[in-house]
Amino acid sequence: MAKVYATIVCRHRWWLKYYLAGVLAMSHITGREPDMARVMRWVERAIVVEVR
């Protein structure tokens, strides 16, 4: 049986760290918890998974 090798590459978009920093800053300023469903939606859009 032949062996198959795959490499999984996970990357994030350039703007993700700025978005998360903004969410954290606004959370500290307002004293409220962020809407995690909305944050996760943007995080899912920012993470790119590639199989090579």
Side-chain angles (χ1 to χ4, degrees), residues 7-52:
T7 303
I8 299 174
V9 179
C10 295
R11 295 180 299 172
H12 61 81
R13 306 255 186 223
W14 65 269
W15 48 264
L16 179 61
K17 59 185 169 186
Y18 301 111
Y19 172 74
L20 292 176
V23 169
L24 183 64
M26 291 307 294
S27 177
H28 282 291
I29 290 170
T30 61
R32 299 186 65 192
E33 293 290 322
D35 181 4
M36 290 309 293
R38 190 170 183 173
V39 172
M40 284 305 298
R41 181 176 46 160
W42 283 103
V43 169
E44 288 172 352
R45 290 183 68 183
I47 294 177
V48 179
V49 179
E50 182 180 322
V51 178
R52 295 182 185 177

